[in-house]
Amino acid sequence: QVHLVESGGGSVQPGGSLKLSCAASGSGVSIYDMRWYRQAAGKQRELVAAISRGGTTTYVDSVKGRFAISRDNAKNMVYLQLNSLKREDTAVYYCNADVFISVALQTFWGQGTQVTVSS
């Protein structure tokens, strides 16, 4: 099956930046939409950004102008550049991907990487 592994999380001060990476592994599959979700303590998981196979991007309003999602199809990687970080960005960030395997489109999740924004 497909495995997604996130990296790049950490602790930063407000206004700081981080770049998250997600590596997808698996042979004989086609990766379509890739996304970043986040879940803050005590809150529901929310979609932060999404990118199609062709590179079309969408963002939740709260991160527009600050975050940027990108992907490298040749490397099966998706990235999330987080700039001008705010305390409310603190959350576990999860990589998500739609993958066509055999006859069905399936969704896979990474284990998450912690982003903490504090002074």
Side-chain angles (χ1 to χ4, degrees):
Q1 62 177 6
V2 175
H3 297 274
L4 305 178
V5 180
E6 303 97 333
S7 62
S11 182
V12 298
Q13 295 184 343
S17 298
L18 286 172
K19 186 173 184 178
L20 308 182
S21 299
C22 174
S25 63
S27 61
V29 301
S30 296
I31 302 177
Y32 288 85
D33 288 4
M34 302 186 81
R35 312 171 186 88
W36 285 97
Y37 285 77
R38 68 184 179 188
Q39 186 167 23
K43 303 294 184 180
Q44 291 187 308
R45 188 172 298 186
E46 68 170 345
L47 176 64
V48 176
I51 184 167
S52 72
R53 190 169 186 171
T56 300
T57 60
T58 57
Y59 301 90
V60 67
D61 287 344
S62 61
V63 309
K64 288 181 178 177
R66 299 190 298 119
F67 293 4
I69 187 172
S70 61
R71 65 190 290 171
D72 186 334
N73 291 339
K75 297 181 179 180
N76 289 329
M77 299 282 291
V78 63
Y79 309 92
L80 186 67
Q81 178 68 48
L82 300 82
N83 298 321
S84 302
L85 284 162
K86 304 174 180 179
R87 297 181 194 274
E88 52 263 42
D89 294 320
T90 296
V92 176
Y93 284 71
Y94 297 91
C95 179
N96 170 274
D98 290 340
V99 183
F100 190 83
I101 304 175
S102 186
V103 298
L105 188 68
Q106 303 179 41
T107 298
F108 292 87
W109 294 87
Q111 295 181 353
T113 185
Q114 177 72 47
V115 171
T116 301
V117 185
S118 64
S119 59

